[in-house]
Amino acid sequence: DLAAAFTASGYNLTELYRSICRTEAYQRSSQETDSQQSEPGLFAKMAIKPMSGEQFYDSLTQAIRRGNPAEPQKLTRNEDPTRRRFLDTFGQQGDQNNPDTSVLQALTLMNGSLIGQATHAEAGEFIQALCEKPSGSNFDSLYLATLSRLPTDEEKKKLDVYVSETTEPEYGQRLGDVLWMLLNSAEFRWNH
């Protein structure tokens, strides 16, 4: 059916992508709700897979609002030193289905300058913008920017407790901590 529709559309790739994205198989959640969903050949749930280094870098920079999203990055890998260092660290290593991870990758995510600047209250543009209007919806903004979903009620309760235990000057740092946690989560790193 897909091949026939692709041919009928005059080999329009946009229509092909739109058709694929509208299928139930493509829109499956990665959440396992039944033990019978563990068989990959049944396409009963989405297979979790790692993002490539390029995908991960682009997702990260979009989530932390680095650069202007309206203007695509015109620099090549070798011209942007931050991107080059990141891709050298997170480039594909080993089998794509069972990627190798390293201590260097973990340390880059936990302590690297890119994430460090983004999560620092005074340096991170995203955190600064959220601090201008403190509200409970800031959690929604952080989750939507990183995980493309809203926080669950349980997550919101934990975040409310964490952020409410602070004074106003520390509010930005607490939001930065939440952003750091989200950027270091497996849900952000892997394609769910």
Side-chain angles (χ1 to χ4, degrees), residues 14-183:
T14 302
E15 283 301 315
L16 175 67
Y17 299 148
R18 187 174 289 129
S19 298
I20 291 171
C21 290
R22 288 181 179 162
T23 65
E24 287 182 26
Y26 185 83
Q27 295 178 16
R28 298 255 188 245
S29 169
S30 62
Q31 299 279 336
E32 187 169 311
T33 57
D34 189 295
S35 61
Q36 294 178 344
Q37 291 177 320
S38 61
E39 179 61 41
L42 298 177
F43 299 103
K45 67 175 188 165
M46 181 185 149
I48 298 174
K49 59 185 177 186
M51 288 189 274
S52 69
E54 290 87 358
Q55 290 170 329
F56 186 43
Y57 181 81
D58 292 343
S59 296
L60 178 61
T61 56
Q62 184 171 355
I64 64 174
R65 311 285 200 276
R66 182 177 187 261
N68 184 356
E71 293 181 20
Q73 189 65 270
K74 294 181 181 174
L75 298 175
T76 65
R77 178 180 176 189
N78 293 329
E79 293 172 337
D80 182 352
T82 305
R83 182 181 181 92
R84 185 180 67 245
R85 281 191 307 274
F86 192 88
L87 293 180
D88 288 344
T89 304
F90 288 91
Q92 184 176 345
Q93 301 157 352
D95 178 21
Q96 181 64 20
N97 294 325
N98 273 327
D100 294 334
T101 55
S102 68
V103 173
L104 182 57
Q105 289 177 350
L107 290 173
T108 298
L109 290 176
M110 290 189 293
N111 304 319
S113 62
L114 186 62
I115 291 180
Q117 289 172 358
T119 58
H120 196 269
E122 286 81 37
E125 294 176 30
F126 187 28
I127 297 299
Q128 285 178 353
L130 293 176
C131 287
E132 289 176 7
K133 48 183 177 172
S135 74
S137 67
N138 284 343
F139 301 139
D140 293 349
S141 298
L142 289 169
Y143 269 73
L144 288 171
T146 55
L147 306 181
S148 300
R149 68 170 177 87
L150 294 171
T152 64
D153 289 338
E154 185 178 331
E155 289 168 333
K156 260 191 179 175
K157 286 178 190 174
K158 289 179 182 178
L159 295 172
D160 280 333
V161 168
Y162 179 68
V163 173
S164 67
E165 295 174 346
T166 185
T167 61
E168 188 175 323
E170 294 176 338
Y171 180 75
Q173 184 56 46
R174 294 287 174 113
L175 284 181
D177 292 345
V178 173
L179 178 59
W180 181 92
M181 180 263 315
L182 292 169
L183 294 173

